[in-house]
Amino acid sequence: MPRSNTILIIEEDATVQFMMRKIARALDINVETATSCSEGLFRLRERPSQFAMIIVNLRLCAAGHDDTVQSIRADQHPEVRGIPIIGVTEEDSVAEVLISQTQGVDERLHKPVTPAELLSLVDRYFTAPLVARG
């Protein structure tokens, strides 16, 4: 089943959610938001083919040693574990670089994500076939 053009954004900051929705709307991309990592995982597992990409606040998932990205990458269903994950951070600290490398994200961006960055992600991940990463 082909994926839709919907991005799942896991972000607790309402301002960031609002801006991402505005950018996505301008690019004709659908966005669903989750305000916690557990909510994001629930939505993803409920409808995995609904999402073409996940954008996740790495600091949110790092709080309390959350294992959201590892859970996605280890999921038993290829359609879940194969979804591209983009980690966003607020700082360029060594700790955040290590978090993104160990969590298995496909790419890492700094907040705020610009329209050009989102368009570039769409070009890379929506047009090419999405294959499971093992």
Side-chain angles (χ1 to χ4, degrees):
M1 171 188 279
R3 293 190 191 277
S4 74
N5 70 337
T6 301
I7 297 173
L8 174 61
I9 297 177
I10 303 173
E11 172 63 62
E12 65 183 353
D13 185 322
T15 303
V16 173
Q17 289 179 2
F18 175 79
M19 291 308 298
M20 288 297 294
R21 278 195 295 269
K22 287 199 64 96
I23 293 169
R25 190 175 304 128
L27 298 173
D28 197 27
I29 300 167
N30 298 317
V31 171
E32 284 193 31
T33 57
T35 57
S36 70
C37 293
S38 59
E39 179 186 356
L41 280 172
F42 177 79
R43 287 183 186 207
L44 175 62
R45 289 181 173 142
E46 187 177 58
R47 299 176 324 224
S49 63
Q50 176 71 27
F51 303 106
M53 182 186 331
I54 301 166
I55 297 178
V56 61
N57 177 341
L58 291 177
R59 185 167 301 281
L60 177 65
C61 291
H65 306 291
D66 183 274
D67 62 352
T68 301
V69 177
Q70 292 97 336
S71 293
I72 294 169
R73 291 297 182 231
D75 197 273
Q76 63 182 345
H77 302 293
E79 65 271 15
V80 172
R81 68 176 177 263
I83 296 174
I85 302 172
I86 311 306
V88 293
T89 61
E90 296 173 6
E91 306 168 354
D92 191 19
S93 70
V94 173
E96 293 209 24
V97 170
L98 290 174
I99 288 170
S100 66
Q101 289 173 345
T102 59
Q103 285 189 328
V105 298
D106 293 285
E107 293 191 39
R108 189 175 65 87
L109 298 174
H110 294 281
K111 289 182 188 182
V113 176
T114 67
E117 288 172 324
L118 187 57
L119 184 58
S120 177
L121 292 171
V122 168
D123 285 345
R124 276 195 303 280
Y125 294 109
F126 282 37
T127 57
L130 299 175
V131 295
R133 293 163 184 78

